[in-house]
Structures are given as C-alpha cells and as structure tokens.
Amino acid sequence: MLVPLVGLDLVLGFVNTRSVLGSPDHLEDVESMRVWMVERHLIEPGTLISDSDVATAREIRGALAVLLLAHVNAHERDDQAIDHAEEYLARAGALHPVAPLIGVHSSRWTPIQTGVAGFFGTLLATAAQTASTSEWRRLKACNNHACYTGFLDKTKNSSALYCSTGCSSQVASRAYRKRHTAGSSLAAAAQKDA
C-alpha cells in the first residue's frame, strides 16, 4: 500500500525536484523520475513512465515554482509569467481530473486516473486545496536567483525571502559587491574627468 507525501510536503517536494547548487534534477529523465517517485511511495515500482510524463512533470514543476516565487516578489512579479503558469496548471488539471471522496469525519480528492497521470491529478488537487488556505501564501521559492528552492515561510509575519541564512548571505554579498563595483567605477570616472 502506498503512503504518499501529503499537503505542503507534496507540493514543496515536487517543486524541489530540480537541480539546485549541484544537486541532481529528479525529473531529468524517465529513470530519475521513477526513482524519485518510488522512493516517496508516489507510484508502484513497475509503473510505466514515458518521456511525455517527464516533460509534463517539468512543466507542472515550473508553473508551480513561478507561483511560489510570486509569493516572495510581490513588487517585482512577472504578471505575464504568472498568467501563463496559471493557464498551464488549469489545462493540466483538466487533463488529470480528481473526484471527491466524502466521509463522516473527513474528505479528500482522489485521482480518477492511475499511475503517473493519477499522481499529477493528486498533486494538482493538493496544490489547489492548499491554495484555498492561508498556508498557500507561506509556500515560497527562495529569492536567491542561484537557488529558487521551495520552502515554507514559518515567520510570524510571513516575510521570509530566502530558504536559509546561507542564501540570504549570498544575496547580500552579491549586492555589496555590485554597489562596491559601481562606486569604484563612478570614482574612477570622476578622477578621469578631473
């Protein structure tokens, strides 16, 4: 019996399948996707995965990452990229439907399809269900352009921009070097004009 990741862990785990700072891309090809999914009990070991499934997985991952990054960059967000991501996720949701299972004590969405297509339905339903809660705005992508790791913002005021202090330090160091280089260039130009 499969015991898959649920809720926030499923969405973040999937977004974080991409290669970051030397880690492998878990959606690089059929075999890497199979290993990632089987290790997390998302599919049975013998489940068929196609190149098309890998391409779909990458596109869903990319679209979710755009939305999580928008939770960090409200003032710099790319509305066209967000619109494209939302449209793609809507189309993917239509291709991977789910059905409600309503019980006495709880309810959940279950995929109509099996295998990888069923996983996509579960993933999208989980993201949609999370998006209807206050937790959705706390799912973010690190604002360090070298990272973009998905993370859950646990600050009281939901103001975290980076997944770790290491990423925060990297960004601060880059900004310092940029200011220092710009200041040196201005000083050199002023000396030259004098």
Side-chain angles (χ1 to χ4, degrees):
M1 177 175 170
L2 296 178
V3 182
L5 298 170
V6 295
L8 303 178
D9 290 335
L10 178 62
V11 176
L12 285 177
F14 186 75
V15 168
N16 290 336
T17 57
R18 71 182 195 82
S19 176
V20 177
L21 304 173
S23 68
D25 185 337
H26 298 288
L27 303 179
E28 182 176 353
D29 54 28
V30 168
E31 193 51 36
S32 61
M33 183 170 162
R34 178 185 320 285
V35 168
W36 183 82
M37 293 184 78
V38 168
E39 284 178 353
R40 284 149 189 83
H41 309 287
L42 300 169
I43 59 169
E44 296 289 348
T47 302
L48 178 67
I49 299 176
S50 68
D51 289 332
S52 176
D53 292 331
V54 175
T56 299
R58 286 184 188 158
E59 290 195 20
I60 291 172
R61 176 181 67 185
L64 288 171
V66 166
L67 300 184
L68 298 190
L69 189 58
H71 292 166
V72 174
N73 287 328
H75 59 284
E76 297 176 20
R77 49 189 250 177
D78 181 346
D79 289 335
Q80 186 175 6
I82 292 168
D83 289 346
H84 179 72
E86 289 173 342
E87 289 168 10
Y88 179 80
L89 292 171
R91 286 193 309 274
L95 292 173
H96 305 288
V98 293
L101 285 183
I102 303 167
V104 173
H105 300 291
S106 66
S107 66
R108 64 183 174 92
W109 294 95
T110 187
I112 293 173
Q113 299 162 312
T114 59
V116 176
F119 165 73
F120 292 149
T122 298
L123 173 67
L124 294 166
T126 301
Q129 190 169 1
T130 304
S132 69
T133 71
S134 60
E135 292 295 301
W136 180 244
R137 299 286 304 161
R138 291 185 173 274
L139 285 182
K140 298 180 177 184
C142 183
N143 204 32
N144 180 357
H145 299 290
C147 181
Y148 285 151
T149 295
F151 69 100
L152 177 63
D153 180 353
K154 295 180 181 178
T155 62
K156 284 185 179 183
N157 62 357
S158 190
S159 63
L161 301 176
Y162 307 101
C163 66
S164 68
T165 55
C167 279
S168 176
S169 295
Q170 266 187 2
V171 171
S173 293
R174 278 196 304 265
Y176 172 79
R177 285 192 302 273
K178 186 176 179 181
R179 285 191 311 272
H180 182 69
T181 302
S184 297
S185 297
L186 288 174
Q191 274 186 337
K192 189 176 177 183
D193 290 341

